[in-house]
Amino acid sequence: MRGEESVRLAVDIGGTFTDVVLELGDVRHSAKVLTNVQNPELGLLDGVRVVLKEAAVAPRDIDVFVHGTTLATNALIERKVAKTALITTKGFEDILELGYEKRFDHYDLMIDMPPAIVPADLRFGVTERLAQDGSILSALDEDELVAICAELRAVKVEAVAIGFLHAYAHSDHEKRARDIVLRELGEGVTICVSHEVCPEIREYERFSTTCANASVRPLIEGYLTRLAKELSDLGIDAPLFLMMSGGGLTTLESASRFPIRLVESGPAGGAILASHIAKQCDLDNVLSFDMGGTTAKICLIAGAVPERARHFEIARTYRDTKGSGWPVRIPVIEMVEIGAGGGSIARIDAMQRIKVGPDSAGSEPGPVSYGRGGELATVTDANLVLGKIDPAYFAGGKLPLYPDAAKDVLGQQIGAPLGLDEFWPAAGVVEIVEENMANAARVHAIERGRDIAASTMIAFGGGAPLHLCRLAEKLSIDKMIVPAGAGVGSAIGFLRAPISYEVTRSFPMVLDHPDMKRVNQMLDDMAREAGDIVRPAAGDRKVQVQRVVDIRYQGQGHELQVVLPEGTLDAADAQWIHDQFETQYRAIYGVTLDNVPSEIVTWSVTVLCEIDDGVSPTFGEGEATEIAPRSHRELFDGAQGTMLETPVYWRFDLPVGAKISGPAIIAEHETSTIVTSQFDAEIDAHSYIILTRKEAV
């Protein structure tokens, strides 16, 4: 520990950049380095060394280390996972192939369904069957299971997922099967059982989640083991926490067992940051906008709480269409994610239209302007040509860019086919990617019954501040916020997240006939299970318990979430839960269903401990009193459709209360805020950039 000052470190490994943030008391230091795709821990260590040197902090002084990574997600998307088998109830071997038994696009006659997460030749059925009430319909055939293990050994599987019918409620057969498989295959094979990974109804999603967890666990366990050793060798012995997709932190041990919970860890950190800012600024309705090098993420936040869900799709294969990926049931912060990042590739399609993404140039080779062998035009190349990026100070000046190369590739690949010259190919690419993001935000808000124009947009990530004003123009949003350190926003969000763990159970209960005695016993058991993970890491900090239910009208196939009241529940609470459900249902769908009882399907208990001390650090630079631009450069203004001579301000020259009228560029270490001619900017008491629409003249 360095005196009385807390030293906290966070690292977010993205598809293009690895972001590192170190908070030393009320001062923040940051770095952005290219992600090392083959050995991500090496890029991480490079960034850590940079901030340690800048802050003059020794590795042993680090008190807390928080980490989020896309490693699990990328492995699943690229199918670079362990050779995995599924053992299931005989007759259910093809659940992963059948899915929801419907097409995700009814009008495409040439549709290709996504490949099953486990191929048919590695799916095995064993005789066993428990009824929904736990009674044995068919005993587990242990001899048959031993024979299956012999086949698995012959084909050298690396991981086994075990998922039986009704195991979410009655796990005896899964536990016995795990013991036999472990005995037959040995410790070298990863074994995951569905009642631990996803104890919920709906066998397709439960089996898919268990298989995904099993297939990435050897990779993540190996990575985390190497990382822990590298950090120890560097001299960092602080507790290591992993960011989860639901917005909480978990321990190294828990993350190694259930790596599927890490798949959206980076975007979750950004949503946590936006929620923190919403609470600071007393904002009821917020649109969180996170744009990095590979993707853009949009999240709705009400009352400083991001929307959450228990369903997510990985590795969508068909134009980002819902239903074209592998479903997993894990706690996630609800957001829409699209292939619209700085590295998103631009091209001309068969109908002579500009198309952007969803594929990305990533960090290797990266955009053409990186000078690292990239050959395809990207959004970053377009932003460079339009003056939104300083070629000499990209990523804090650590990665020089080549504007002539960017202009040439855009002219050849975009301009020549369409007959466009000068800056117009770049303007076309940026206009398309901005419209893609705006449309995704519109649809996301409409699906949830929200008025997006009434929201305040909070933008972070290296790319979001470059585009937020144009998005606001398209969405009729009048106010935006860019926090300090926006370019590494997700990593900052990691340091605001609580240590937490969520336990779920499926126990259908119609609220007309509640069994509150059983419910209270179940909720207490779930709280103990989650607390056993959180309390050792929490130390002396106060622990909270949050409880929610997934509820629907009886007979429906999908649910809404309602927060449960505190304390022991009784029959009066059942009516209160029903009323809360109908209020939410009416807000989203505009109607309620009279005389149809409501039914709770799944119960969730989260135990959490806040580790954020409430400090809002600033960067380690003094504030200047003069408001003067450091330079000028040509900037494309989309609203006016022309290049304008534009002043460039350094963010840390701007004192609290400073006001700037657009068009203007406010530059900082890892990004720049582009203030278009439609907006004014002001620095508030938190050192945030507040952008507001100019009044019509």
Side-chain angles (χ1 to χ4, degrees):
M1 184 92 175
R2 181 186 168 108
E4 297 299 320
E5 294 177 315
S6 174
V7 183
R8 303 193 296 175
L9 183 67
V11 179
D12 174 27
I13 298 181
T16 304
F17 287 101
T18 293
D19 298 339
V20 183
V21 169
L22 185 145
E23 289 186 353
L24 172 60
D26 61 353
V27 177
R28 181 186 298 140
H29 302 269
S30 66
K32 184 182 283 284
V33 299
L34 286 173
T35 294
N36 187 318
V37 177
Q38 300 302 321
N39 300 104
E41 67 272 18
L42 299 183
L44 179 155
L45 292 168
D46 288 342
V48 168
R49 291 188 183 97
V50 169
V51 295
L52 288 176
K53 181 178 180 180
E54 181 181 306
V57 168
R60 65 179 180 275
D61 292 331
I62 302 297
D63 296 305
V64 176
F65 186 7
V66 185
H67 180 31
T69 175
T70 61
L71 188 60
T73 312
N74 293 342
L76 287 163
I77 291 172
E78 298 169 10
R79 314 299 201 263
K80 296 178 180 178
V81 294
K83 188 175 185 178
T84 305
L86 170 66
I87 299 175
T88 186
T89 305
K90 183 167 285 187
F92 288 82
E93 299 92 333
D94 292 329
I95 283 291
L96 296 179
E97 204 86 50
L98 296 171
Y100 298 115
E101 298 184 7
K102 64 180 182 180
R103 298 158 59 90
F104 55 82
D105 188 334
H106 295 288
Y107 303 103
D108 187 344
L109 300 180
M110 307 301 291
I111 191 173
D112 289 323
M113 298 299 290
I117 191 169
V118 174
D121 61 344
L122 291 177
R123 302 196 298 261
F124 299 86
V126 63
T127 299
E128 76 83 32
R129 189 70 175 264
L130 295 177
Q132 190 175 6
D133 61 3
S135 59
I136 299 176
L137 300 178
S138 298
L140 175 65
D141 190 327
E142 297 188 5
D143 292 337
E144 192 175 353
L145 184 57
V146 169
I148 290 172
C149 288
E151 294 187 56
L152 298 180
R153 194 163 45 244
V155 296
K156 298 180 180 180
V157 298
E158 301 166 281
V160 178
I162 302 174
F164 292 154
L165 200 64
H166 301 309
Y168 63 89
H170 309 286
S171 58
D172 290 348
H173 279 185
E174 278 196 356
K175 291 177 180 176
R176 179 56 183 159
R178 174 178 55 189
D179 293 342
I180 293 172
V181 174
L182 179 60
R183 182 192 71 202
E184 295 295 318
L185 299 184
E187 297 282 352
V189 174
T190 295
I191 303 172
C192 295
V193 287
S194 74
H195 74 271
E196 290 183 349
V197 178
C198 180
E200 299 186 42
I201 62 171
R202 300 187 175 99
E203 55 269 17
Y204 170 44
E205 294 169 338
R206 178 159 52 92
F207 293 177
S208 179
T209 305
T210 307
C211 290
N213 192 77
S215 66
V216 298
R217 198 163 94 177
L219 173 71
I220 299 301
E221 279 184 324
Y223 166 71
L224 292 178
T225 299
R226 295 195 309 273
L227 177 61
K229 182 181 184 303
E230 293 281 2
L231 294 176
S232 178
D233 291 345
L234 187 62
I236 296 176
D237 58 3
L240 173 59
F241 296 110
L242 278 296
M243 187 76 194
M244 295 186 294
S245 55
L249 307 179
T250 191
T251 61
L252 181 70
E253 294 75 19
S254 176
S256 296
R257 286 187 66 203
F258 304 113
I260 195 62
R261 293 196 175 203
L262 307 179
V263 293
E264 284 292 277
S265 60
I272 293 297
L273 172 63
S275 299
H276 179 78
I277 295 170
K279 186 175 182 180
Q280 278 185 319
C281 300
D282 195 24
L283 301 173
D284 288 332
N285 296 301
V286 163
L287 174 69
S288 166
F289 171 38
D290 178 5
M291 183 180 178
T294 306
T295 58
K297 284 76 66 175
I298 293 164
C299 176
L300 297 173
I301 298 170
V305 178
E307 290 192 356
R308 288 181 165 85
R310 291 206 46 77
H311 181 276
F312 180 70
E313 274 189 16
I314 299 173
R316 287 180 177 173
T317 59
Y318 194 83
R319 303 175 190 168
D320 291 330
T321 302
K322 182 178 180 180
S324 66
W326 297 324
V328 292
R329 287 193 70 81
I330 55 172
V332 295
I333 290 179
E334 182 76 41
M335 62 183 73
V336 59
E337 185 170 356
I338 59 174
S344 293
I345 295 170
R347 56 177 59 87
I348 302 299
D349 67 12
M351 297 182 67
Q352 293 297 290
R353 301 174 302 185
I354 298 175
K355 183 179 184 297
V356 181
D359 50 336
S360 171
S363 62
E364 298 177 6
V368 172
S369 55
Y370 283 14
R372 297 165 59 91
E375 298 179 349
L376 301 175
T378 66
V379 174
T380 292
D381 298 318
N383 280 327
L384 182 61
V385 170
L386 297 180
K388 294 187 176 187
I389 297 174
D390 183 347
Y393 205 73
F394 185 69
K398 299 178 181 67
L399 182 63
L401 301 183
Y402 301 91
D404 290 342
K407 188 172 183 179
D408 288 345
V409 74
L410 284 161
Q412 294 165 12
Q413 297 179 7
I414 305 297
L418 299 179
L420 301 175
D421 57 11
E422 298 183 332
F423 56 82
W424 287 110
V429 169
V430 168
E431 183 69 16
I432 291 299
V433 79
E434 289 171 345
E435 185 57 42
N436 288 346
M437 293 186 291
N439 188 58
R442 292 186 195 101
V443 172
H444 190 59
I446 290 170
E447 288 177 345
R448 285 149 185 80
R450 298 276 293 275
D451 178 10
I452 199 168
S455 302
T456 298
M457 186 190 302
I458 299 177
F460 48 90
L466 303 177
H467 299 273
L468 85 162
C469 281
R470 282 295 287 159
L471 253 68
E473 292 168 13
K474 293 173 180 292
L475 298 172
S476 300
I477 290 175
D478 294 329
K479 181 179 178 181
M480 299 93 76
I481 297 176
V482 181
V488 292
S490 288
I492 295 172
F494 292 172
L495 298 176
R496 308 279 86 83
I499 303 168
S500 69
Y501 197 79
E502 180 177 352
V503 173
T504 61
R505 294 283 183 273
S506 282
F507 171 50
M509 186 182 78
V510 179
L511 288 179
D512 284 358
H513 303 90
D515 183 353
M516 289 306 186
K517 181 178 180 180
R518 182 174 175 184
V519 163
N520 286 313
Q521 180 61 53
M522 179 181 65
L523 292 174
D524 288 344
D525 292 343
M526 294 165 67
R528 277 193 295 272
E529 182 180 339
D532 288 344
I533 295 175
V534 172
R535 285 190 174 87
D540 297 331
R541 300 182 185 93
K542 182 180 178 181
V543 170
Q544 305 172 40
V545 179
Q546 298 175 349
R547 309 181 300 183
V548 300
V549 292
D550 291 352
I551 183 172
R552 66 189 181 189
Y553 283 117
Q554 192 173 24
Q556 290 184 332
H558 299 279
E559 302 83 40
L560 300 178
Q561 284 197 341
V562 171
V563 178
L564 292 178
E566 297 181 357
T568 302
L569 302 178
D570 56 27
D573 291 315
Q575 181 61 46
W576 182 88
I577 294 168
H578 170 79
D579 293 342
Q580 294 297 308
F581 163 67
E582 289 210 321
T583 298
Q584 188 179 157
Y585 196 96
R586 185 182 297 109
I588 295 175
Y589 301 110
V591 297
T592 55
L593 305 183
D594 297 334
N595 303 318
V596 179
S598 53
E599 176 186 35
I600 295 176
V601 176
T602 301
W603 309 73
S604 301
V605 175
T606 300
V607 175
L608 60 88
C609 167
E610 300 286 353
I611 65 170
D612 177 24
D613 56 12
V615 174
S616 295
T618 57
F619 284 82
E621 300 188 23
E623 289 184 343
T625 56
E626 296 183 5
I627 307 173
R630 288 197 175 187
S631 62
H632 290 75
R633 71 169 180 258
E634 290 282 305
L635 172 72
F636 180 76
D637 189 278
Q640 299 188 36
T642 187
M643 300 289 287
L644 301 173
E645 183 75 9
T646 305
V648 180
Y649 298 86
W650 183 241
R651 179 164 188 163
F652 306 102
D653 289 346
L654 303 177
V656 170
K659 297 181 180 181
I660 295 172
S661 181
I665 301 169
I666 303 176
E668 54 186 289
H669 294 287
E670 292 92 10
T671 189
S672 293
T673 300
I674 303 302
V675 187
T676 68
S677 58
Q678 306 295 304
F679 290 89
D680 291 328
E682 182 176 357
I683 308 300
D684 78 347
H686 301 291
S687 296
Y688 299 158
I689 301 174
I690 310 296
L691 298 110
T692 53
R693 189 182 297 274
K694 295 179 180 180
E695 295 183 6
V697 179

